[in-house]
Amino acid sequence: MITAVREVSVFGDAIAYFNEAAALLDLDPGIRALLTKPSRQIIFSIPFQRDNGELEVFTGYRVQYNFARGPAKGGIRFHPGVTLDEVTALAFWMTWKCAVVDLPFGGGKGGVTCDPTTLSQKELERITRRYAAELVEVVGPDKDVPAPDVGTTPQIMAWFMDTYSMHVRQHTPGVVTGKPLEIGGSRGRVEATGRGVSLVALAQMKRMGIDPKGARIVVQGFGNVGSIAAQMFVDAGSKVTAISDVTGGYHSERGIDIAGAIAYVQEHHSLDGYRGGDRITNDALLELSCDVLVPAALEKQLNIGNAAKIGAKLIVEGANGPTTPEADRIFTERGIVVIPDIVANAGGVTVSYFEWVQDRSGYFWKESEVNERLADIMLENFAKVSDLAAARHVPLRTAAYMVAIDRVVQSMKIRGVYA
Ligand code: NAD
């Protein structure tokens, strides 16, 4: 007998949520088959010369999952763990994230299997330029629009844009988003994800009758997303009672001074040594009694090991994939409401869309205009998801996938399948 050893597939896990929603939508089997396969997966070698002259070869990927609603859209990851399976799963998620907030994009993702922390700026620039050069024919403002992800930065987007523009002999800022402001980035992009997290959280708190004034908020991860979301909660009158980063957690029932903590991180590059709260572990932080818990750090933080002990009424997924499917089921049973990642952290891709629009028109908006349009898009689409969840008696996650899948399917049907 032959026994096959099956590795755990990230893409396989990602499809689980899709299947649950697809079953409720009564999808045509052919359409369903199409949606569970990526449109295009590209793998290529990246010859790479170290500063000392040695030659190595890295592997690069770009997956364009679906184009029904527009050009593919999604980040580029530089990380040692990048695989085709992971990039495909991330491109699949981007398809639903763009659709659930009604952006005219499909889903994409890319990456290079490398460790950027060991590379000099010159080495990073060479990898980025070769990566971009390999993709010249298949990316572009009307084809596929990358952005930063884990391990990539606005500077890397600038090199990508420059390389692409040189190859096509045309200044093309709209080929990537997340660029520095000086070369076509958007105002408000850096704050957009945290801002979106707090916007949908406050809307859901209203639905649940939780007064933002004095509400207790716990935030795991005090980087870009977590710190901005925390500040927005404070601005709404809430108390952030605990924050954490990779160095551990800090707790104060009187409320952490968030502006002070942000200034501390700016100076010391982490919360290590921060004295504005009592030290607690990250595990204990997740289990604190609170109104809202915002996981804004890593995947799989809320899992079978701690789901029964989580003390929040509402969980707002700032991070991508912070809740395992097992924990999600326990939260539903316990009546804990979860705003899923594809909605909660869609503020970043929404302002990336604004960046693409501004680049293409050559006219740049004030930050207040960006923020106002972000709020319109997030709140209008979150309301659609909430209403559907209430009407169909399903969790917000299932409703979010249903809204997103339905939009992609409608576009496919109207265009017709070229088969
Ligand atoms: P970041 O690197 O700025 O911040 C991550 C934070 O998490 C840091 O404070 C880090 O110290 C902390 N952290 C790491 N390991 C931890 C641990 N074990 N326990 C507690 N804290 C830990 O990253 P970010 O941009 O804020 O992204 C956070 C999450 O949000 C990621 O899942 C990312 O994919 C997701 N996300 C980010 C954006 C965006 O626009 N930045 C958009 C969508 C989704």
Side-chain angles (χ1 to χ4, degrees):
M1 195 175 93
I2 299 169
T3 337
V5 179
R6 185 183 158 272
E7 285 191 4
V8 177
S9 158
V10 189
F11 182 53
D13 277 359
I15 284 188
Y17 286 132
F18 168 89
N19 280 338
E20 224 172 287
L24 292 168
L25 284 171
D26 204 14
L27 287 189
D28 172 275
I31 294 281
R32 192 161 167 167
L34 258 177
L35 288 176
T36 45
K37 294 260 183 307
S39 282
R40 189 184 278 156
Q41 295 171 300
I42 305 157
I43 311 180
F44 48 97
S45 294
I46 301 184
F48 160 64
Q49 190 158 34
R50 288 214 176 256
D51 289 343
N52 67 8
E54 272 172 30
L55 201 58
E56 287 178 39
V57 186
F58 287 139
T59 305
Y61 305 90
R62 187 76 193 165
V63 175
Q64 298 169 331
Y65 197 87
N66 186 285
F67 295 102
R69 293 171 51 84
K73 180 94 196 77
I76 301 169
R77 183 168 286 199
F78 284 2
H79 190 272
V82 166
T83 60
L84 181 64
D85 175 59
E86 182 191 66
V87 175
T88 305
L90 293 166
F92 176 78
W93 271 316
M94 283 306 296
T95 306
W96 314 122
K97 191 180 293 192
C98 291
V100 81
V101 283
D102 212 3
L103 307 182
F105 288 128
K109 205 83 181 191
V112 179
T113 315
C114 68
D115 182 356
T117 61
T118 64
L119 301 169
S120 72
Q121 285 297 297
K122 281 284 158 210
E123 289 174 334
L124 273 176
E125 180 173 349
R126 285 199 287 277
I127 291 181
T128 304
R129 288 191 182 280
R130 182 67 192 240
Y131 178 79
E134 291 291 336
L135 291 173
V136 162
E137 286 88 0
V138 292
V139 296
D142 291 312
K143 296 179 179 177
D144 179 2
V145 186
D149 190 67
V150 175
T152 54
T153 59
Q155 176 60 68
I156 287 177
M157 296 307 111
W159 291 325
F160 190 109
M161 181 278 255
D162 182 68
T163 309
Y164 180 85
S165 297
M166 297 299 288
H167 276 265
V168 301
R169 296 270 176 249
Q170 193 166 313
H171 181 63
T172 318
V175 65
V176 280
T177 59
K179 298 180 295 297
L181 273 184
E182 295 81 347
I183 56 161
S186 177
R187 293 186 180 87
R189 172 63 187 88
V190 173
E191 299 81 8
T193 306
R195 183 173 282 276
V197 165
S198 63
L199 283 169
V200 294
L202 290 164
Q204 181 61 29
M205 285 159 74
K206 194 167 176 194
R207 278 189 175 237
M208 291 168 69
I210 303 174
D211 186 353
K213 299 255 175 309
R216 291 180 306 153
I217 318 288
V218 168
V219 180
Q220 184 203 35
F222 204 65
N224 174 281
V225 178
S227 66
I228 301 288
Q231 185 60 57
M232 300 278 304
F233 281 115
V234 171
D235 293 347
S238 306
K239 260 193 314 186
V240 177
T241 53
I243 56 174
S244 69
D245 71 2
V246 70
T247 67
Y250 305 81
H251 175 218
S252 163
E253 281 301 314
R254 289 193 309 280
I256 303 266
D257 165 20
I258 294 300
I262 290 174
Y264 187 91
V265 171
Q266 265 161 9
E267 194 183 336
H268 299 91
H269 306 294
S270 78
L271 285 168
D272 200 16
Y274 179 65
R275 304 231 177 279
D278 301 326
R279 290 298 311 256
I280 55 168
T281 63
N282 256 303
D283 289 348
L285 172 133
L286 293 173
E287 295 169 14
L288 285 171
S289 160
C290 62
D291 293 296
V292 183
L293 170 64
V294 181
L298 308 168
E299 309 83 52
K300 300 189 194 306
Q301 294 299 293
L302 306 172
N303 48 47
I304 192 95
N306 60 11
K309 295 181 269 178
I310 298 303
K313 296 178 188 143
L314 169 64
I315 295 169
V316 187
E317 295 184 337
N320 284 317
T323 309
T324 64
E326 298 80 20
D328 211 36
R329 272 191 285 280
I330 295 172
F331 294 146
T332 305
E333 280 161 24
R334 292 186 57 208
I336 298 175
V337 177
V338 181
I339 306 184
D341 47 9
I342 60 167
V343 184
N345 68 31
V349 72
T350 302
V351 176
S352 274
Y353 160 58
F354 297 161
E355 180 175 335
W356 177 81
V357 170
Q358 292 170 82
D359 287 339
R360 306 193 85 190
S361 64
Y363 180 74
F364 291 86
W365 311 345
K366 289 188 289 198
E367 187 166 348
S368 56
E369 287 174 291
V370 170
N371 291 343
E372 198 178 311
R373 287 174 170 145
L374 171 65
D376 283 351
I377 288 188
M378 294 290 293
L379 294 176
E380 186 185 328
N381 288 293
F382 181 58
K384 287 208 169 93
V385 169
S386 300
D387 291 348
L388 183 68
R392 300 289 300 262
H393 306 289
V394 292
L396 288 171
R397 191 183 314 275
T398 309
Y401 274 90
M402 287 170 77
V403 166
I405 295 167
D406 188 51
R407 284 181 174 154
V408 173
V409 169
Q410 291 311 324
S411 302
M412 286 167 77
K413 284 192 172 158
I414 293 165
R415 292 173 69 143
V417 179
Y418 189 0

